[in-house]
Amino acid sequence: MSLYSLVMLTLSAIIGSGWLFGAGMAAQIAGPAAVLSWILGAVVIGLIAVNYIELGTMFPTSGGMSQYAAFSHGPLLGFVAGWSNWLSLLTIIPIEAVAAVQYMSSWPWSWANWTRGFLKDGNITNQGLFIVFLFILAFTLLNFWSVKLLTRFTSFISIFKLAIPTLTIIVLMWTGFEPQNFAHAASFMPAGSASIFSATTAAGIIFSYNAFQTTINMGNEIEHPERNILWGIVIAFGISTVIYTMLQVAFIGAVPAGMLQHGWQGVNFQSPFADLAILLNLGWLSTLLYLDAFVSPFGTGVSFVATTSRALAAMTGTKHVPTKLGEINRKYQTPRRAMIVNMLLGVVLVAGFRNWSTLSNVISTSTLIAYLTGPVTVAALRHQGPKFVRPFRLHGLNWWAPLAYVLASLAIYWAKWPTTIEVFGVIALGLVCYVYYEIRKPAGWQSLRASLKGSRWLLAEMVWLTIMSLIGSTEFGGMGTMPYPLDFVFVAAGSLACYYLGVHDAYYSESFRIAEELNQRVSEE
């Protein structure tokens, strides 16, 4: 896969349903200050990404995001990180299908009245669920027959996905932009500063930026990974940050002033940009947006079938999930069994969580838990493998790694109670699978005890975040025992302690030898 194909694949994954719904939801939560939420989200994910760039260039392997933690802290932490990451990726497949179906349900044409039954009270109906399944099936089939077909499809579709958001920004700012909206309904920040942080998770902003890991997980399928992983992420992430931020600016400025009589919370669009275009008598733009509501989620869904299947296949390396899921089809070089399992589980997920907002919140939280392991792992490997070849070396790691870790912890806290404990519970279910396979090994109990030490810091982190979410400020769903912004100080302090415990608890396991073998394939240029 060339750099161009890699950038197009990553952009196709990033510019998905997030732009169709994120701006509208963020404006409801934070008003005009939602612009700052997109910038904050880019900073949080960007800092996390640079840690993973060092890891990705050191260990170019498919599904790498599910393996790195095991290299430094043993199989248990690797499994928890892989499970969390896989869970978040798995949820992206149905959420993109839900996004397309939700836009379909608001088609304004008389011949499309049959689509009205796809959505009721903001949730996908059983009729809509069948259409969602057809989308997920299409996503899977496009990945079923080789990476070559995937890259051709995503390179083509990414151009369209970039053009429509860009055109939307230009048209809205040219025809209906009202600068006074940025100070309307109380102020620039009508819901207070806490809403800026809340919107990053609740409005799907973290979710929207999450797809940078598509580049990491393609691993050894990339030409010159020691160079192209870095530039693939930098280029794609930079372009998407500008597009998302400008979309938010355009949305806020284009909302008719008459709709702001009851504040930004009263601006509730089912299909935000398409509904806005209709209000502004831009019928041709609304038609393009309804078309893009197919294309953008479709491109992201297709990309993440590839990413998710490789993440699940990579988890089989430690033999804590059925190894047959990791088998690669010899002819097409794709993990077909993993794709089928992900497809079926995606349908189950959307049957339980039937709206875009809920799914995006779950994705954001579970993703961030997986991301906590990145800064700890990259710092620990500096001590464990000082002689490892590092095509990209993060300068100032002693500052950037803990900062990225603390920001990720805060972003989990921003998801609000009870989302935090719900996601922690789902992740804990994965441990049942791990223990089952581990104790069946000859030295299972002994190995389990050894790996517990390498994982205790993450357990401590989740317990700490659970406590803080419960007793934290009311702005983030807590009891109010710890007022805002003092709650941020306590979350950061406790998380920082967990970070340093994590770096300290790294140990040499069998997984470290795998890391050594992977790193030997890398050559500095």
Side-chain angles (χ1 to χ4, degrees), residues 83-411:
W83 181 273
S84 302
N85 189 55
W86 170 67
L87 178 65
S88 68
L89 295 173
L90 177 65
T91 313
I92 290 175
I93 299 171
I95 198 177
E96 296 303 318
V98 166
V101 172
Q102 184 164 332
Y103 260 72
M104 285 178 67
S105 69
S106 64
W107 277 353
W109 309 293
S110 57
W111 59 264
N113 288 335
W114 57 278
T115 66
R116 301 288 190 273
F118 293 170
L119 199 73
K120 183 179 180 180
D121 299 326
N123 293 317
I124 298 293
T125 63
N126 290 334
Q127 182 184 356
L129 185 63
F130 176 73
I131 306 301
V132 167
F133 170 71
L134 293 181
F135 271 99
I136 295 174
L137 179 63
F139 297 163
T140 303
L141 291 179
L142 271 168
N143 278 271
F144 214 63
W145 291 286
S146 85
V147 172
K148 189 174 182 180
L149 177 62
L150 169 65
T151 54
R152 284 179 178 175
F153 174 79
T154 53
S155 293
F156 166 76
I157 210 171
S158 294
I159 296 172
F160 185 84
K161 291 179 66 175
L162 287 172
I164 300 301
T166 302
L167 178 64
T168 301
I169 293 168
I170 294 170
V171 172
L172 291 182
M173 295 187 75
W174 182 265
T175 61
F177 195 79
E178 300 185 32
Q180 62 269 26
N181 283 0
F182 286 84
H184 195 90
S187 65
F188 175 76
M189 202 180 296
S193 59
S195 64
I196 297 172
F197 304 104
S198 178
T200 59
T201 304
I205 291 173
I206 293 292
F207 155 70
S208 298
Y209 286 126
N210 172 50
F212 82 86
Q213 63 172 287
T214 301
T215 301
I216 301 290
N217 281 321
M218 294 308 288
N220 54 13
E221 294 167 76
I222 301 170
E223 294 177 4
H224 305 294
E226 70 284 350
R227 179 178 67 246
N228 288 345
I229 286 176
L230 168 62
W231 288 110
I233 290 177
V234 169
I235 295 170
F237 194 79
I239 292 172
S240 60
T241 299
V242 172
I243 289 175
Y244 275 129
T245 304
M246 293 307 298
L247 279 166
Q248 185 68 70
V249 171
F251 180 87
I252 291 169
V255 172
M259 295 189 66
L260 299 177
Q261 293 178 357
H262 301 289
W264 286 96
Q265 290 184 343
V267 181
N268 187 17
F269 292 124
Q270 184 170 309
S271 305
F273 281 104
D275 291 347
L276 189 57
I278 292 172
L279 279 175
L280 297 173
N281 295 315
L282 298 170
W284 64 271
L285 179 60
S286 69
T287 301
L288 278 177
L289 289 167
Y290 282 121
L291 176 60
D292 191 66
F294 269 126
V295 176
S296 287
F298 208 93
T300 301
V302 169
S303 298
F304 270 93
V305 166
T307 302
T308 308
S309 62
R310 284 160 179 78
L312 179 56
M315 286 173 63
T316 65
T318 60
K319 296 181 173 60
H320 292 107
V321 294
T323 54
K324 286 188 177 296
L325 295 177
E327 292 181 4
I328 304 296
N329 181 273
R330 291 183 180 180
K331 182 177 181 180
Y332 297 108
Q333 292 300 300
T334 55
R336 286 186 159 187
R337 285 194 176 94
M339 286 182 189
I340 293 171
V341 169
N342 287 336
M343 179 183 70
L344 297 176
L345 289 176
V347 174
V348 172
L349 270 172
V350 79
F353 301 97
R354 297 199 179 197
N355 66 73
W356 191 90
S357 177
T358 302
L359 284 167
S360 69
N361 216 1
V362 170
I363 293 169
S364 299
T365 308
S366 55
T367 300
L368 288 162
I369 293 169
Y371 285 167
L372 288 173
T373 63
V376 173
T377 294
V378 75
L381 286 173
R382 288 284 182 94
H383 301 289
Q384 290 176 293
K387 295 183 180 179
F388 277 173
V389 176
R390 290 175 169 82
F392 170 79
R393 187 181 183 92
L394 179 59
H395 296 290
L397 179 75
N398 292 335
W399 292 98
W400 296 121
L403 178 59
Y405 183 93
V406 168
L407 287 175
S409 300
L410 284 168

Side-chain angles (χ1 to χ4, degrees), residues 73-84:
H73 289 78
L76 177 55
L77 186 69
F79 180 85
V80 173
W83 181 273
S84 302

